[in-house]
Amino acid sequence: NNIWAVGEAGIIRKWNGTAWSAQTSGSMRYLRAVWGTDANNIWAVGESGTILKWNGTAWAAQASPTIQQLEGVWGTDATNLWAVGAGGTILKGDGTNWTVQTSGTTGQLLNVWGLDGNNVWATGAYGLLVRWNGTAWALQDSGANDNLNAIWGSKAAGRVWLAGEAGMILHKAQ
């Protein structure tokens, strides 16, 4: 009953369990990803470093420390968030403020996901994979040369799966 979709020209749609409805984003930027913890804490990211937050009532812009396109957003909770994008951009959010983190790459990051606050991965173009260990980001060998567009995993299984172009699916042990 609380599903969100984002897209071009600041489009945001919400599924209420019965139908999709248009939401007012306050932005005309292309929104590339959306993620949330609960009905009152949803973030959307996109073009030119755009970061928007839903507080349960309305969308509002959050100050972004980058003008790079943001491609993905994920968090462990409403105060531990990451957004990734072009030029190796990684931002860390506390729910209100965002700061730039050193990623160790200038490549395009396309998605971000983690098992917890000490095990976060970002995937990217040409097999790019970086991992946060709770202290720093480090490059990882993905074993791929094509774009890695999606990432997900299972803490119980200790595995992370990466999906990319041409039907590529890879898994990594935690």
Side-chain angles (χ1 to χ4, degrees):
N1 295 339
N2 194 31
I3 298 173
W4 298 87
V6 298
E8 293 182 33
I11 289 175
I12 299 179
R13 301 284 188 262
K14 181 182 180 192
W15 177 258
N16 66 9
T18 304
W20 289 98
S21 62
Q23 304 291 302
T24 302
S25 72
S27 175
M28 290 303 295
R29 302 281 187 192
Y30 193 131
L31 300 173
R32 308 286 296 179
V34 62
W35 180 86
T37 61
D38 57 55
N40 299 320
N41 291 286
I42 312 289
W43 286 266
V45 299
E47 183 180 50
S48 300
T50 299
I51 303 172
L52 304 176
K53 182 181 187 280
W54 172 258
N55 64 10
T57 304
W59 287 95
Q62 290 192 316
S64 177
T66 187
I67 59 168
Q68 296 285 352
Q69 178 163 299
L70 297 172
E71 298 279 353
V73 61
W74 178 83
T76 60
D77 56 50
T79 61
N80 291 290
L81 308 157
W82 289 267
V84 300
T89 299
I90 299 180
L91 305 180
K92 176 78 170 82
D94 65 8
T96 304
N97 300 303
W98 294 84
T99 57
V100 175
Q101 293 198 312
T102 301
S103 68
T105 183
T106 58
Q108 183 170 359
L109 296 170
L110 301 171
N111 210 330
V112 60
W113 180 84
L115 294 170
D116 54 45
N118 295 321
N119 295 284
V120 181
W121 291 264
T123 60
Y126 306 107
L128 182 59
L129 180 65
V130 294
R131 181 178 183 188
W132 171 256
N133 65 9
T135 304
W137 288 93
L139 290 169
Q140 304 286 298
D141 181 13
S142 71
N145 293 316
D146 292 329
N147 291 356
L148 296 170
N149 300 316
I151 182 167
W152 202 262
S154 166
K155 190 169 191 168
R159 296 270 183 207
V160 176
W161 286 266
L162 313 170
E165 294 177 350
M168 176 180 39
I169 299 175
L170 307 170
H171 68 85
K172 295 283 185 191
Q174 179 186 333

